[in-house]
Amino acid sequence: AQSVTQLGSHVSVSEGALVLLRCNYSSSVPPYLFWYVQYPNQGLQLLLKYTTGATLVKGINGFEAEFKKSETSFHLTKPSAHMSDAAEYFCAVSYSGGYQKVTFGTGTKLQVIP
Amino acid sequence: KAGVTQTPRYLIKTRGQQVTLSCSPISGHRSVSWYQQTPGQGLQFLFEYFSETQRNKGNFPGRFSGRQFSNSRSEMNVSTLELGDSALYLCASSLFAGATSYEQYFGPGTRLTVT
């Protein structure tokens, strides 16, 4: 069975500081990994995804994530936080083959302090 | 291209009633998934439909059901509502089910309040 753990339900950073949101996964087969962002009163929007190939994945809004198989991690980073980055972020895992559901983490709320 | 639309956006129901929520996927998308989002449980997968057939189902009681029409629009129904069913119900569409990328596009959700 697959699962996702997001460390830290709330993260605060200063504007201009590094953003690091942690995600560890558990999967018995090679995973597909995703990061989604949710702004208040909105649905989720895909930030980036890893399926195969290059382990460093670049997404929208300056975010990137690195797939580390040995650490079973897929942490999300952004070099410099902007006020508009304040939102809730979800890590998710799935895998290929058949009709696979996506399992989401519990989410991390990012607060950006001016 | 229009995004995923969900109707209604807000709904207030009484315990014991039933409710039907609607989701229109992005044009050309054939897969629709439903999720329940609550502060305590996070995002939980309800079910997925592809080509009018349920392809996957989460761990929810039989009071939760869904269907998909030939135009890919989907509805979910909750019968005999309980207070614990209060949640944001999100619909997501994708081109295919089980595709290698499995990229989903989410609607804004329907906020259901059960009193």
Side-chain angles (χ1 to χ4, degrees):
Chain A
Q2 60 198 28
S3 65
V4 171
T5 301
Q6 290 184 244
L7 294 174
S9 57
H10 291 81
V11 170
S12 293
V13 300
S14 298
E15 190 175 15
L18 171 72
V19 175
L20 170 60
L21 304 182
R22 299 178 187 274
C23 172
N24 288 86
Y25 69 90
S26 170
S27 176
S28 56
V29 296
Y32 294 152
L33 295 159
F34 309 83
W35 275 101
Y36 285 86
V37 61
Q38 185 178 33
Y39 297 100
N41 299 315
Q42 293 186 29
L44 279 68
Q45 179 185 9
L46 181 68
L47 277 177
L48 48 79
K49 63 184 180 187
Y50 167 79
T51 53
T52 58
T55 56
L56 182 62
V57 180
K58 294 188 185 297
I60 62 172
N61 302 339
F63 284 94
E64 62 181 37
E66 186 171 10
F67 170 60
K68 291 187 176 180
K69 184 178 178 181
S70 61
E71 298 177 9
T72 61
S73 69
F74 190 58
H75 301 331
L76 182 71
T77 61
K78 182 175 181 178
S80 177
H82 192 273
M83 295 299 294
S84 61
D85 294 328
E88 190 161 18
Y89 293 79
F90 293 89
C91 182
V93 63
S94 181
Y95 55 95
S96 68
Y99 298 101
Q100 305 302 338
K101 69 176 185 179
V102 179
T103 300
F104 286 84
T106 52
T108 297
K109 283 189 179 172
L110 176 66
Q111 179 187 21
V112 182
I113 303 166
Chain B
K1 216 178 224 186
V4 178
T5 58
Q6 292 187 245
T7 56
R9 291 291 312 276
Y10 301 92
L11 206 49
I12 300 175
K13 290 285 188 178
T14 305
R15 261 188 315 175
Q17 288 185 315
Q18 76 164 20
V19 66
T20 299
L21 312 181
S22 180
C23 171
S24 292
I26 291 172
S27 177
H29 284 196
R30 296 167 61 190
S31 171
V32 173
S33 297
W34 288 90
Y35 295 86
Q36 181 195 65
Q37 185 178 22
T38 59
Q41 300 296 319
L43 269 161
Q44 292 190 286
F45 172 77
L46 279 156
F47 28 64
E48 179 190 12
Y49 287 87
F50 179 75
S51 294
E52 302 178 65
T53 301
Q54 188 179 91
R55 302 292 181 175
N56 224 326
K57 189 176 188 304
N59 296 323
F60 278 82
R63 299 185 297 107
F64 292 82
S65 63
R67 59 178 174 168
Q68 187 180 34
F69 302 95
S70 58
N71 62 357
S72 294
R73 190 178 70 86
S74 177
E75 289 181 346
M76 68 162 280
N77 184 278
V78 187
S79 63
T80 320
L81 283 166
E82 301 177 359
L83 294 178
D85 297 333
S86 294
L88 180 67
Y89 289 89
L90 292 165
C91 163
S93 79
S94 59
L95 268 174
F96 307 107
T100 54
S101 68
Y102 212 101
E103 182 170 335
Q104 298 180 99
Y105 296 82
F106 283 80
T110 294
R111 173 76 61 186
L112 171 65
T113 302
V114 182
T115 62

